[in-house]
Amino acid sequence: MLQNNLEGPALIYAVGFSAWKKARVRQCFPSAQVRFANRFEDVPARAVVVVWGMQRVPETQGFQVLRLEDGFLRSVGLGADLTRPTSWVVDDVGLYYDATRPSKLERLLAETVFDPAQLQRATALQQRIVSAGLTKYNIGTPQWPRPKTAKRVLLVPGQVESDASLAYGAPEIRTNMGLLQAVRRANPDAYIVYKPHPDVVAGLRAEGKNEHDAQHWCDEILLDAAMAEVLASVDEVHVLTSLTGFEALLRNQPVYCYGLPFYAGWGLTNDAIAHPRRTRRLTLAELVAGTLIAYPLYLSRVDNALITPEQALEQLLAWRSLSGATPPWWQAAFRMVLRRVVGVR
C-alpha cells in the first residue's frame, strides 16, 4: 500500500522549534530519539537535523536536512492560532511550495507508477473529502449564495504575501492585487469574487500591498464564507500558489495558475507559467494519491500515533462537529498580542 516511507535514523536534532510544536515533532518520528536545540552550533557535524519550513541550514557541517511543514488537511482552525495540526509533511529533498528545486512530492508525482488499488483508494478519499466539505482549515460560515448573474463567477483567493510559497513559487506576480488585476484584465465581463486569506481576516497576519483597494477589481469580497461552500458555487478558480487551487481540482473545478504551486504543470490546470521539470501528465487520482496519501503524515488527535488519511478525515469531521464550542481562553489574548507584532489593528 502506498504510504509515506520515513524509516528514519535513530537520532534526530530538531533545531529552532517553538515549545508548542515539540510534541508534534516527536509524533512525526516515533522510532527516533529527538533532541531539541536552539542553534546549529549545538548540533554535531553530519547529524540528521529537522527544521521548520525554509529555515536556512549551514552547509559547512554536512547535516542531513529534513524539513517540516503543514500538510493539506490541517485542522479545524488556523495554524496561526497555534491550532493543533492533523497533518504535517516531512521532506528530505525540498518542500512542496518551493518550485525553484525538486521536492519529495514532485519526485513522487513525476516517478511513481500508481497501481489500480492505490488509484481506487485515492478516488475514494477525494470523494469523501468533497462530500464532507473538508478543506485545509475547515472554518467559516456555510451557505454562501451564488450571485444571481448570467456571468461566469470566478474566485480569486488571497494569500499572506510574506509567506514562503509566494517567494519560492511565484516568479512573476507576487501580490494579491497583482493577481486580482490580472484576472480582471483577462476576464473583463466576469463576476469576480475575492476572498482574503483567513489569517488576514482574523488579524493574525498583515494584509497585502494595497489589499484594501480590492473592491476596485472585483465584484464581491468574501470574508467569512466557508471555502467548501464557495468552491461548490463558482465556475473557475484563479490562484497564485494557493492551496485553494488544489481544493478546487478535487471538486473538478477549472483552475488557472499564475504561479507554480505543487499541483500545476501536470496537465490538470491552466498554467500561465511553464514548469520545465514537470513533463508527466497526471490524472486527478494520481495527483491525489501522491499529495494526500504518499507524501504527508497524519497525526492522531486521540493519542500520539501516526494514522491513515482516512482516519484523519474522520477525526477532522468529529473535531468540526465540536467547532461551535467556546474557543480556548488563550486564543483571544494570543490574537491581540500577534496583532501588535504584525501591526494589524
Side-chain angles (χ1 to χ4, degrees), residues 1-2 112-122 280 285-286 289:
M1 187 61 68
L2 190 67
T112 305
V113 178
F114 302 94
D115 66 36
Q118 292 164 351
L119 297 179
Q120 184 177 16
R121 181 186 180 192
R280 187 182 185 187
E286 289 171 328

Side-chain angles (χ1 to χ4, degrees), residues 10-247:
L11 177 61
I12 294 174
Y13 289 85
V15 183
F17 283 88
S18 57
W20 80 272
K21 287 181 178 176
K22 289 183 178 180
R24 305 287 77 77
V25 175
R26 290 193 177 95
Q27 191 173 355
C28 287
F29 303 101
S31 62
Q33 179 184 2
V34 180
R35 296 181 182 174
F36 291 93
N38 293 323
R39 308 179 309 159
F40 290 105
E41 291 82 356
D42 299 327
V43 179
R46 294 180 295 281
V48 178
V49 300
V50 59
V51 298
W52 184 260
M54 297 301 294
Q55 181 180 351
R56 292 185 179 275
V57 179
E59 298 179 359
T60 56
Q61 299 301 309
F63 295 135
Q64 178 184 338
V65 182
L66 306 176
R67 295 186 181 276
L68 274 173
E69 187 53 88
D70 278 335
F72 312 113
L73 292 167
R74 189 195 181 280
S75 53
V76 179
L78 302 174
D81 261 336
L82 308 188
T83 306
R84 179 173 175 169
T86 295
S87 178
W88 276 357
V89 304
V90 182
D91 201 313
D92 59 352
V93 180
L95 269 179
Y96 61 86
Y97 54 70
D98 181 4
T100 67
R101 58 176 174 167
S103 67
K104 183 177 180 179
L105 176 58
E106 185 176 282
R107 290 183 178 174
L108 281 168
L109 295 175
E111 300 171 4
T112 305
V113 178
F114 302 94
D115 66 36
Q118 292 164 351
L119 297 179
Q120 184 177 16
R121 181 186 180 192
T123 298
L125 186 66
Q126 171 210 348
Q127 292 173 347
R128 178 66 170 141
I129 290 169
V130 174
S131 64
L134 287 173
T135 57
K136 182 176 182 179
Y137 295 122
N138 301 291
I139 57 174
T141 304
Q143 298 180 341
W144 173 68
R146 177 186 168 96
K148 296 179 179 179
T149 176
K151 299 179 179 180
R152 287 177 302 131
V153 179
L154 279 51
L155 172 65
V156 178
Q159 296 183 239
V160 176
E161 291 185 2
S162 60
D163 274 1
S165 64
L166 293 179
Y168 292 93
E172 296 181 2
I173 302 171
R174 288 189 176 178
T175 67
N176 293 318
M177 293 305 96
L179 171 63
L180 195 54
Q181 291 172 48
V183 175
R184 174 55 79 195
R185 284 194 300 269
N187 302 275
D189 298 323
Y191 187 100
I192 298 178
V193 177
Y194 178 66
K195 192 175 190 305
H197 192 279
D199 282 348
V200 174
V201 174
L204 300 173
R205 304 291 291 274
E207 69 175 16
K209 183 178 180 180
N210 298 324
E211 193 166 357
H212 54 276
D213 292 330
Q215 70 275 8
H216 296 314
W217 296 285
C218 68
D219 298 280
E220 184 175 353
I221 298 175
L222 288 178
L223 297 180
D224 194 39
M227 183 59 78
E229 297 283 341
V230 178
L231 290 173
S233 302
V234 300
D235 299 309
E236 298 172 8
V237 177
H238 292 246
V239 302
L240 287 173
T241 63
S242 173
L243 185 65
T244 300
F246 176 68
E247 294 171 342

